[in-house]
Amino acid sequence: QKEVEQNSGPLSVPEGAIASLNCTYSDRVSQSFFWYRQYSGKSPELIMSIYSNGDKEDGRFTAQLNKASQYVSLLIRDSQPSDSATYLCAVISSGSARQLTFGSGTQLTVLP
Amino acid sequence: GAVVSQHPSWVICKSGTSVKIECRSLDFQATTMFWYRQFPKQSLMLMATSNEGSKATYEQGVEKDKFLINHASLTLSTLTVTSAHPEDSSFYICSAPTEGRAKNIQYFGAGTRLSVL
């Protein structure tokens, strides 16, 4: 069973702080990793994709991938109340025909 | 990013009726599309993989005769919930992966909220 696990939270941070979201995956040969944001009642929206070890930055978001530890994280700097949402970690595993495996999601609340 | 259009966004129907949901890739071709279902406060659950020109692949526990999938063109997949019952009430979401240089990034439709009375 190929699995993706996230700390389910909920996670609360004050406005302006750094929010750290974590995810581990079981399939060692996974190659593609994604973070999606989902607001309540809406469909997921792509935030970041990462494919190589290291950090990838896009504005206030930084994704970090460590394939040896099978770990991917998302940092949100200068968190805003509008960042309050559920964040879904997703992985394309080997032999899955581009099928995403989702974690259960981490609910983030940014307190004004 | 790429755009995936899903219609309708919300449907209410009587028990026993059938409901069709459309998923279109607007600016790219999608030989594969995915259909998910999401219950309140739960993550997305993959129902089936829709393949253009061939039969869909259903996940374990998903009734293929109840959830009919048709992928007749490179830009359109449809999900028909047949003889819907209240337990089928859920949020249905489609997605399509871009091909080639975008490295399998999947874009999601806006979702369809189905309420069966």
Side-chain angles (χ1 to χ4, degrees):
Chain A
Q1 180 91 17
K2 297 172 182 175
E3 295 182 346
V4 177
E5 295 190 0
Q6 295 181 245
N7 45 336
S8 59
L11 175 66
S12 293
V13 300
E15 184 173 356
I18 295 175
S20 177
L21 306 166
N22 305 313
C23 175
T24 58
Y25 57 95
S26 63
D27 185 359
R28 182 169 292 279
V29 297
S30 297
Q31 295 295 321
S32 304
F33 308 87
F34 307 90
W35 283 99
Y36 286 86
R37 176 175 64 196
Q38 187 176 24
Y39 292 113
S40 181
K42 303 294 184 181
S43 67
E45 169 192 12
L46 182 67
I47 297 296
M48 293 283 283
S49 60
I50 188 166
Y51 308 98
S52 305
N53 278 327
D55 295 359
K56 179 181 178 182
E57 186 175 318
D58 184 1
R60 296 186 296 111
F61 299 96
T62 299
Q64 299 174 318
L65 175 61
N66 183 325
K67 291 186 178 181
S69 301
Q70 296 173 233
Y71 174 91
V72 58
S73 66
L74 180 70
L75 299 178
I76 306 174
R77 290 182 301 281
D78 187 23
S79 296
Q80 301 297 309
S82 59
D83 295 327
S84 298
T86 296
Y87 289 80
L88 300 166
C89 174
V91 175
I92 294 181
S93 299
S94 58
S96 66
R98 297 178 290 166
Q99 175 181 310
L100 286 171
T101 300
F102 282 94
S104 57
T106 298
Q107 185 178 340
L108 172 67
T109 301
V110 180
L111 303 171
Chain B
V3 178
V4 175
S5 173
Q6 187 173 343
H7 178 81
S9 58
W10 196 1
V11 59
I12 301 173
C13 70
K14 292 182 178 180
S15 185
T17 60
S18 294
V19 174
K20 180 185 281 189
I21 303 170
E22 292 188 348
C23 182
R24 294 180 185 273
S25 56
L26 294 187
D27 52 358
F28 66 102
Q29 294 182 333
T31 57
T32 302
M33 292 186 179
F34 299 97
W35 288 96
Y36 297 86
R37 181 168 52 183
Q38 186 175 37
F39 292 106
K41 299 194 182 299
Q42 295 186 21
S43 191
L44 281 76
M45 290 186 59
L46 179 67
M47 299 176 65
T49 302
S50 174
N51 304 299
E52 188 270 333
S54 64
K55 292 182 179 180
T57 304
Y58 290 81
E59 295 301 300
Q60 192 172 6
V62 177
E63 300 174 58
K64 60 181 66 176
D65 293 332
K66 181 169 185 61
F67 299 99
L68 301 179
I69 291 174
N70 184 278
H71 194 150
S73 77
L74 287 172
T75 60
L76 174 64
S77 175
T78 60
L79 168 68
T80 301
V81 183
T82 63
S83 186
H85 290 284
E87 58 266 29
D88 298 322
S89 298
S90 187
F91 191 43
Y92 292 86
I93 313 172
C94 69
S95 74
T98 55
E99 300 184 23
R101 61 183 174 87
K103 279 200 172 184
N104 301 319
I105 290 177
Q106 284 196 32
Y107 293 93
F108 285 82
T112 298
R113 191 161 301 282
L114 172 63
S115 295
V116 185
L117 304 178

